Amino acid sequence: MTIARPRRLKTLVGAGNFAFASNDESPVAGARRSVELARKAEAEKITGLFTADLLHADPDGLSGTTGTQEPIVALAALSQVTSHIGLIATVSTTYHHPYNLARLIGTLDHASGGRAAWNAVTSSVGEENFGGDTLPDPAKRYTRATEFIEVVNALFDANDPEAARRGASGSISVDPGKLHRIDYRGEHFQVQGPLNVPPPPQGRPVLFQAGQSAEGVTLGARYAEVVYTSQPTLEAATAFVAELRRQARGFGRGADLPLVMNSFHSVIGDSEADVARRLREKHEKIDYQKGRLKLADMLGGDIDLSDLPLDQPMPQSLLPEIDSVNRRRGRVEIFRRYAQQGLSLRELIIQAQETGHWSVAGTPEQLADALEQRFRAGVLDVISLHGLGNPDQEDLLLNGLLPELRKRSLLDTDYFEGDFRANLELPKPWAVHGQEAVARQVNRR
């Protein structure tokens, strides 16, 4: 008899950066640090490594080092020095092709022994590098994203699980009769198939999806297994998850799908006085001139905040209408709400440092209280934790917050036997072959 155990909160941390820096003593210094951090995360039983991405060089330096390495290549390297931790690559559905993506993520799943996942985003930047003068509007980006996911799922589902066999010599053979066409015909993609990468260990690598505009919620409700969303308050998180799950039920999905992921921007201190000091020092480091640019970016990028006084509220007349914004509407909505609450420009700039994510400062116990509250409320399943690799915060994360969460039985104490899907406690994807795979995808619209 199998005894079910309570579900636990799943944890992610960011993967390290492999980039060589001009003052490095060795050209592999970045790689060594990335490997060290990945192994440290796995020793702590962190569920997955997450890679964000951007497809341009940020001219104002507002995004730090995001986008300075290709996620799938970086995770492929880390797959060879880890054994259990999941590997999540952010992928643009606007500027990739689904057949190529299925080959890349399928191969990562093989290389990692079933630990691959991809985070589908529609991109808010990068059009200048892909032959376009302007970013496609949100409706077009999400129509393309829908087709993109349908194609990828159909390619993975179409091939027979027995297509590849290993011989006595150790080499594999692939039966072409067990690789099936999908003959997908959509507005954006025409893909015949079959996928020439044999069925990956997970069947389908896990699908994350980031986006919280109305179109993003619908896409996530329909297809995502984990939805990554910015919800700075419990009230906002509760409303978001209720709508997401309502739409998911309408698409015939289970009551607990998709899982919900937040990024937890934390400042950890060992006492309340220490927390106050760390928070004060963090705010003192803010460049408020650069902060004006970052806040303008959070509000769609088309407003000038250069002459506004720091300690007065932003004029409501400067706030853009959501439907007029072409980039990151969900983020714009968050910062519109902040401004409408009467926050001063200084306070808005401080909030912009967290880019609309959930931000909490406190002792390990106080942070654990905040995480437990959302988890027990049923609005949080996966959390991205900050601090690993940060000398100022790593010890408080590894020896403060994580032990406190384990003490409350909120975290897994070991990995499950099996793949990343098993460690997330996600159901196996259904598998059908050939034309039926395409029909199942299209009919879910």
Side-chain angles (χ1 to χ4, degrees), residues 136-255:
D137 67 53
K140 289 180 181 177
R141 297 205 304 274
Y142 278 101
T143 299
R144 178 184 168 100
T146 298
E147 290 190 12
F148 192 108
I149 292 170
E150 289 175 351
V151 170
V152 171
N153 286 350
L155 287 167
F156 284 136
D157 292 343
N159 290 341
D160 192 301
E162 303 294 322
R165 304 289 293 178
R166 192 170 303 281
S169 69
S171 63
I172 69 164
S173 61
V174 177
D175 182 349
K178 293 183 178 179
L179 302 180
H180 302 292
R181 291 168 53 158
I182 65 170
D183 291 317
Y184 187 98
R185 296 291 179 268
E187 178 185 348
H188 296 275
F189 300 109
Q190 295 78 46
V191 179
Q192 174 181 291
L195 181 64
N196 60 352
V197 173
Q202 293 185 98
R204 285 186 203 166
V206 177
L207 174 59
F208 286 61
Q209 180 260 345
Q212 60 195 60
S213 65
E215 298 96 337
V217 171
T218 298
L219 182 68
R222 178 179 288 144
Y223 292 122
E225 296 176 278
V226 183
V227 166
Y228 179 16
T229 175
S230 302
Q231 300 299 333
T233 67
L234 176 61
E235 293 74 19
T238 301
F240 176 88
V241 173
E243 176 59 17
L244 178 71
R245 297 268 167 81
R246 183 192 70 78
Q247 291 195 34
R249 289 192 298 272
F251 290 118
R253 304 190 67 185

Side-chain angles (χ1 to χ4, degrees), residues 239-317:
F240 176 88
V241 173
E243 176 59 17
L244 178 71
R245 297 268 167 81
R246 183 192 70 78
Q247 291 195 34
R249 289 192 298 272
F251 290 118
R253 304 190 67 185
D256 297 326
L257 290 175
L259 303 183
V260 176
M261 170 188 166
N262 290 170
S263 181
F264 191 56
H265 289 213
S266 61
V267 173
I268 317 173
D270 56 20
S271 67
E272 292 194 10
D274 185 44
V275 171
R277 175 188 64 81
R278 290 172 184 272
L279 200 56
R280 183 176 63 253
E281 290 175 355
K282 178 180 178 179
H283 293 168
E284 287 172 350
K285 293 176 183 177
I286 295 174
D287 178 339
Y288 282 90
Q289 288 307 111
K290 197 171 184 178
R292 292 171 189 266
L293 295 175
K294 193 173 187 96
L295 176 58
D297 185 54
M298 294 297 103
L299 287 165
D302 293 326
I303 61 174
D304 182 1
L305 305 177
S306 58
D307 294 328
L308 295 184
L310 276 174
D311 294 307
Q312 292 183 21
M314 179 188 295
Q316 301 289 299
S317 59

Side-chain angles (χ1 to χ4, degrees), residues 344-385:
S344 69
L345 186 67
R346 185 187 302 274
E347 291 169 325
L348 288 169
I349 289 172
I350 289 172
Q351 290 292 342
Q353 307 311 299
E354 313 304 337
T355 63
H357 288 289
W358 183 21
S359 175
V360 181
T363 63
E365 295 78 12
Q366 289 168 335
L367 297 184
D369 287 344
L371 289 164
E372 183 170 17
Q373 181 184 35
R374 285 205 186 189
F375 179 70
R376 301 294 184 203
V379 299
L380 178 66
D381 304 292
V382 182
I383 191 70
S384 176
L385 297 170

